[in-house]
Amino acid sequence: MTPLQDLPPPESYQTTGTGHYDSAFAVSELANASFAAVGQQLALLMNATGLSGDVLPVTVDQRLASLWFGYSFAAQGWELPSLWDPIAGNYQTRDGWIRLHTNLPHHRAAALGVLGCAGEAGAVKQAVATWDGEKLETEIVAAGGVAAYMRSRAQWLAHPQGQAVAQEPLVTWVAPRPVSLRHRPEASAVRPLSGLRVLDLTRVLAGPIATRTLAGFGAEVLRIDPPGWDEPGVIQDIALGKRMASLDLRDQTDRQCFEDLLTQADVLVHGYRPGALDSLGYDLATRDRLAPNRIEVTLDAYGWTGPWAKRRGFDSLVQMSAGIADAGAPWTQADKPTPLPVQALDHATGYMMAAAVLNALTSAAMTQRAASARLSLARMAEQLAQTPLYLAGPRIGMPAAADYADQIEESAWGPALRLKPALQVGMTEMRWGIPARACGTATACWSQT
């Protein structure tokens, strides 16, 4: 049993469809490969668990894979809320550019507190222009906010964090231990993950993509958020196939409920930075005691080693830090940061997280042992930078009507269309039995215990 380490080469899977994103980086190539990683690992799991006699072939629809790297959900007859806070964005400093990420109230408050200005874009622009970018980045992070000064690829690779991330594998496996998988009689070649309980403790965006992917093959995904949590404009895309519950881990009753859920879970997927779960009272030893047979996969933004290992971050910030937004500018002949056409780091990392879950399940099925997987957006940025551009054909823009499934998805916010699935494993296709639902709308329990 080989631990998953890399994206699969293009010759190892089949593709249909045409098109690619116009970018300085191999975004569509990365989309193909990350979807294929999921398919190949699912095929191995199905073979190991007797759901298929052979390792099934994997087919990726190239156009749809690229489009799923964007937004899969199209509201019908109503408008989605904005994805971005009004002051989030790129601003010129005295010596370059910085990106402020202010979608969460406490991140917005931290940035405005450092800048000492009103919460409107014009005032922020004037205040940012008086700062050196790296100094402002440091001050906002120290205040509990999130921001990223734009660096070139050369600057990032010379930076201590860039050097640390470059030495990390794409998937880091840690803490191997005996794992005995629970029998799932409902699993079938059509729904190979049926009966698999996935406890989802993830937020925007990679982790939710991972668990949405597992739900597409039949897993029961229960996402837990703090009471009152919301991600306007994002939840509609990534809540597909999940039950959305809320618990307050500062409340003793809710903590007991969470521990019961974890005890019964087959898979734990979380996006807590190093040490963050420990501070909640759920360190590795406690998780091992509560759920010794769980599969665990996690991610962070800036990598698991180096001085920024505990730094908060998002795809758009990592693109600024790692030289992607800087490299995009000359590609488009622009004089400002030019990010990727989609949040490809989030999406590729999410699909690789799902592939890692499947890989660990196969390991447990074959050897009764499994390790936990760690991934990061920054390491995926390095992977993207090393991926050659090779796709030709038409440029991909917005989805067309033919890219969407025929049936209406009755989401919690209104009717919508959803992109057709991009991945097929033999005759096994992705489908979701639960439409997108708002945070906190489900009871925090497994459907069957």
Side-chain angles (χ1 to χ4, degrees):
M1 181 60 214
T2 304
L4 175 67
Q5 294 288 351
D6 299 305
L7 289 161
E11 63 271 15
S12 68
Y13 55 91
Q14 303 168 8
T15 58
T16 60
T18 59
H20 66 100
Y21 282 122
D22 186 24
S23 172
F25 295 90
V27 175
S28 290
E29 290 86 347
L30 186 67
N32 282 354
S34 58
F35 269 96
V38 174
Q40 290 182 354
Q41 293 304 318
L42 182 67
L44 291 171
L45 177 63
M46 292 173 68
N47 182 243
T49 54
L51 297 179
S52 66
D54 300 306
V55 178
L56 298 170
V58 172
T59 303
V60 177
D61 186 303
Q62 181 171 304
R63 175 177 171 82
L64 289 171
S66 292
L67 291 174
W68 274 92
F69 262 41
Y71 203 79
S72 69
F73 182 94
Q76 300 296 294
W78 57 281
E79 291 188 6
L80 281 161
S82 174
L83 293 171
W84 295 103
D85 177 74
I87 65 168
N90 300 325
Y91 295 89
Q92 276 192 289
T93 64
R94 284 195 297 221
D95 58 349
W97 292 84
I98 193 169
R99 181 167 185 84
L100 306 183
H101 198 294
T102 55
N103 284 4
L104 297 179
H106 60 290
H107 291 164
R108 177 186 171 95
L112 292 176
V114 171
L115 291 169
C117 69
E120 60 91 21
V124 171
K125 180 180 179 180
Q126 290 183 353
V128 170
T130 68
W131 285 77
D132 290 336
E134 198 162 0
K135 174 67 173 173
L136 180 56
E137 174 190 66
T138 300
E139 292 292 328
I140 290 175
V141 170
V146 284
Y149 176 58
M150 188 172 76
R151 294 169 173 83
S152 68
R153 285 289 299 155
Q155 288 172 322
W156 176 245
L157 293 174
H159 190 280
Q161 191 60 34
Q163 293 176 346
V165 168
Q167 298 302 311
E168 295 182 7
L170 185 61
V171 184
T172 300
W173 295 96
V174 299
R177 65 188 191 284
V179 172
S180 178
L181 296 181
R182 187 172 55 84
H183 181 51
R184 295 186 290 112
E186 53 274 75
S188 67
V190 175
R191 301 295 279 164
L193 299 186
S194 285
L196 188 76
R197 297 174 186 150
V198 179
L199 191 58
D200 180 355
L201 306 182
T202 65
R203 308 286 180 267
V204 197
L205 189 60
I209 289 166
T211 52
R212 181 185 67 187
T213 303
L214 299 174
F217 290 108
E220 178 183 358
V221 177
L222 178 62
R223 171 165 154 160
I224 304 296
D225 291 307
W229 183 266
D230 193 13
E231 296 163 17
V234 175
I235 289 295
Q236 292 83 357
D237 189 40
I238 51 80
L240 178 64
K242 308 177 187 181
R243 293 173 54 246
M244 308 287 285
S246 62
L247 291 173
D248 183 353
L249 295 186
R250 297 166 297 182
D251 177 85
Q252 190 55 46
T253 300
D254 281 7
R255 286 178 68 87
Q256 184 60 57
C257 179
F258 170 75
E259 291 173 14
D260 291 343
L261 294 171
L262 179 57
T263 298
Q264 299 168 50
D266 301 304
V267 177
L268 172 64
V269 182
H270 65 90
Y272 286 97
R273 293 167 293 121
L277 267 181
D278 299 27
S279 66
L280 291 171
Y282 297 109
D283 60 11
L284 179 60
T286 301
R287 302 197 301 277
D288 284 347
R289 175 177 59 80
L290 291 170
N293 292 312
R294 80 196 182 285
I295 298 301
E296 181 168 319
V297 173
T298 187
L299 83 155
D300 76 355
Y302 279 104
W304 292 87
T305 59
W308 287 9
K310 294 186 178 182
R311 179 172 288 206
R312 297 174 179 87
F314 298 93
D315 182 307
S316 58
L317 299 181
V318 175
Q319 288 192 45
M320 291 286 279
S321 298
I324 290 174
D326 177 74
W331 175 267
T332 56
Q333 299 182 329
D335 58 358
K336 60 182 180 180
T338 305
L340 303 173
V342 290
Q343 296 190 62
L345 308 183
D346 265 329
H347 287 267
T349 305
Y351 291 115
M352 281 300 285
M353 290 173 69
V357 168
L358 300 171
N359 183 261
L361 287 168
T362 302
S363 177
M366 295 178 64
T367 70
Q368 288 72 55
R369 290 185 66 81
S372 297
R374 293 175 175 172
L375 298 91
S376 75
L377 302 182
R379 181 56 182 82
M380 188 59 73
E382 294 309 304
Q383 189 73 30
L384 177 59
Q386 297 162 20
T387 301
L389 288 153
Y390 63 85
L391 293 178
R395 296 177 180 178
I396 290 177
M398 297 297 292
D403 296 317
Y404 292 101
D406 293 334
Q407 65 272 25
I408 290 289
E409 179 181 326
E410 296 293 348
S411 79
W413 303 267
L417 294 175
R418 184 74 63 168
L419 288 173
K420 295 174 181 176
L423 176 63
Q424 187 167 336
V425 181
M427 298 303 293
T428 303
E429 298 180 328
M430 302 179 80
R431 60 180 175 85
W432 292 267
I434 303 174
R437 291 284 181 257
C439 296
T441 53
T443 303
C445 66
W446 299 112
S447 61
Q448 295 181 351
T449 56

